[in-house]
Amino acid sequence: MTLADAIVDLLRHMEWADALIWKTVLSSPAAAVDSLLLDRLYHVHVTQHGFLQVWRGVSEELPPRSSLDSNALARWARAFYVKAKGISEFDQQALDRHVPESLLSKAEARLGCGAATPAILDTILQVVTHTIHHRGQISTRLRELGCEPPLTEYFVWVWRGKPAAEWCM
């Protein structure tokens, strides 16, 4: 498996897992209106969309959390994957490209001075691992709300034959 193949797999798995989480959220009246859960989901998806802008070299206004109910947030989550399809076409040179100065400025303001300049590949891996981290928190919240969270682990996805995401909307 090449690095480009691995990136495609990681993003496909992330979409599959996000779609399963959203199916669970939207099928539960309690989860669909839980502000803690929706805030966490918004954080995941605003991060995904923010980095997507870096990858695509664009800057677009991101919707505020207050403008999105659960259905609109789920549709916006899905839109990330539609726009991200071209990321799988990155070659090694594109993956090695340094992130733009605008991202470095934001990171330095939040994290302090850095010791290295991240590459686009680093940001892709950040988005995947960041999403996995918060998906665990989201699953915990779903349990607290009486829902059974879906199995979203990478190995489960592989075991099932790497199925495509099935969005419920």
Side-chain angles (χ1 to χ4, degrees), residues 67-86:
S67 70
L68 302 169
D69 65 10
S70 57
N71 287 305
L73 184 53
R75 285 190 303 274
W76 188 55
R78 185 177 187 182
F80 165 83
Y81 294 101
V82 172
K83 293 178 181 177
K85 294 291 185 208

Side-chain angles (χ1 to χ4, degrees), residues 5 41 47 56 58 60 91 94 101 114 143 146 152 154-155 166:
D5 293 337
L41 285 160
T47 300
R56 295 173 62 216
V58 300
E60 301 168 348
D91 59 17
E101 186 62 39
R143 278 189 198 93
T152 59
Y154 182 83
F155 187 76
E166 293 183 16

Side-chain angles (χ1 to χ4, degrees), residues 14 41-56 58-63 68 72-84 127 131:
M14 191 171 78
L41 285 160
Y42 176 80
H43 173 74
V44 166
H45 300 306
V46 78
T47 300
Q48 291 171 347
H49 279 275
F51 276 103
L52 180 62
Q53 289 186 19
V54 171
W55 304 337
R56 295 173 62 216
V58 300
S59 181
E60 301 168 348
E61 191 71 30
L62 297 172
L68 302 169
L73 184 53
R75 285 190 303 274
W76 188 55
R78 185 177 187 182
F80 165 83
Y81 294 101
V82 172
K83 293 178 181 177
V127 168
T131 300

Side-chain angles (χ1 to χ4, degrees):
M1 176 183 293
T2 67
L3 181 58
D5 293 337
I7 289 169
V8 170
D9 269 7
L10 289 171
L11 291 173
R12 285 187 60 230
H13 166 260
M14 191 171 78
E15 180 180 14
W16 173 82
D18 278 356
L20 285 175
I21 289 291
W22 274 108
K23 181 177 182 181
T24 303
V25 169
L26 295 176
S27 68
S28 164
V33 297
D34 184 74
S35 61
L36 182 63
L37 180 63
L38 296 176
D39 287 349
R40 179 105 354 102
L41 285 160
Y42 176 80
H43 173 74
V44 166
H45 300 306
V46 78
T47 300
Q48 291 171 347
H49 279 275
F51 276 103
L52 180 62
Q53 289 186 19
V54 171
W55 304 337
R56 295 173 62 216
V58 300
S59 181
E60 301 168 348
E61 191 71 30
L62 297 172
R65 164 66 188 98
S66 60
S67 70
L68 302 169
D69 65 10
S70 57
N71 287 305
L73 184 53
R75 285 190 303 274
W76 188 55
R78 185 177 187 182
F80 165 83
Y81 294 101
V82 172
K83 293 178 181 177
K85 294 291 185 208
I87 299 309
S88 62
E89 299 167 6
F90 275 4
D91 59 17
Q92 191 62 49
Q93 184 178 4
L95 294 171
D96 290 340
R97 190 179 79 237
H98 286 171
V99 298
E101 186 62 39
S102 59
L103 181 60
L104 295 176
S105 299
K106 289 178 186 177
E108 187 171 319
R110 181 154 191 243
L111 305 172
C113 288
T117 301
I120 293 297
L121 174 60
D122 296 314
T123 66
I124 294 171
L125 295 174
Q126 170 61 25
V127 168
V128 170
T129 58
H130 175 266
T131 300
I132 291 168
H133 167 75
H134 287 298
R135 195 178 304 120
Q137 295 173 329
I138 290 163
S139 292
T140 297
R141 184 64 183 155
L142 286 168
R143 278 189 198 93
E144 292 169 354
L145 294 169
C147 301
E148 183 63 33
L151 292 175
T152 59
E153 288 83 357
Y154 182 83
F155 187 76
V156 172
W157 178 70
V158 171
W159 188 258
R160 293 184 177 162
K162 299 181 179 181
E166 293 183 16
W167 290 92
C168 58
M169 71 306 197

